Structure formats: C-alpha cells, structure tokens
Amino acid sequence: GIYEFTMGATGDVVKARYSYNYVQEDGIWKIQHHHSSVMPEEIAVGKSISEDEVRSLFSLWNDALATLDPKKVAARYAKSGVLLPTVSDTPRTDFSSI
C-alpha cells in the first residue's frame, strides 16, 4: 500500500509504500515480514511500467545471476538498494554484502 506520514521533528510530509506478509500463529494472524520505504518520486506521481518492461528487468537480473559472478548481480541493484535474501535472515544493504 501507499501512505503519507508527517515527520515529528520537521513536520515534513513523506509519501511511502509498505507491504506485509502474515502468518497464523495459535489462530492469530501476525506480521512475519514488514517492509516500508520512502517512495521514489517517479512512482509517487504514478508513472507506470508495462509487463514487458517488468519481464525485461527481471531477465537482466536473472541473466546476471546465471553468470555466477556476484559483482554482476550486485551491479543490478541501486546504490541504496536492499536485498532481503530468500535463505538468510540478514538484509544485504550495500554492494559488498549483496
């Protein structure tokens, strides 16, 4: 989802996005994973991307992965990118850890 919040210290209004994954524990739905981040400006104004563009971007990442070269994979991520790995509980938050 998308929401806006006001920064307490400055009063600035910030647009952000969020997602939750839930699991059921003892009959109660609980958050298993929560992601929240500031919206990049282009997304905030609603610039869309086609399914073909999404497939193309995924192919670029998948092709880099197929090389087995970690530097080529990490190069697909933005300077401030974050990777939440599939088989690790450790977020990767910089080039060397991605």
Side-chain angles (χ1 to χ4, degrees), residues 2-24:
I2 298 172
Y3 65 100
E4 289 183 352
F5 64 95
T6 303
M7 301 291 286
T10 64
D12 293 341
V13 176
V14 177
K15 195 166 195 172
R17 59 186 170 194
Y18 66 91
S19 63
Y20 294 97
N21 290 333
Y22 289 88
V23 295
Q24 205 169 43

Side-chain angles (χ1 to χ4, degrees), residues 37-76:
S37 60
V38 173
M39 292 280 289
E41 199 57 39
E42 280 191 33
I43 294 173
V45 297
K47 183 177 178 184
S48 62
I49 179 172
S50 72
E51 285 188 31
D52 287 340
E53 289 171 309
V54 171
R55 285 186 188 97
S56 177
L57 290 169
F58 177 79
S59 290
L60 290 172
W61 177 84
N62 201 40
D63 292 347
L65 190 63
T67 69
L68 303 178
D69 182 343
K71 289 182 180 179
K72 287 184 180 180
V73 175
R76 297 300 318 150

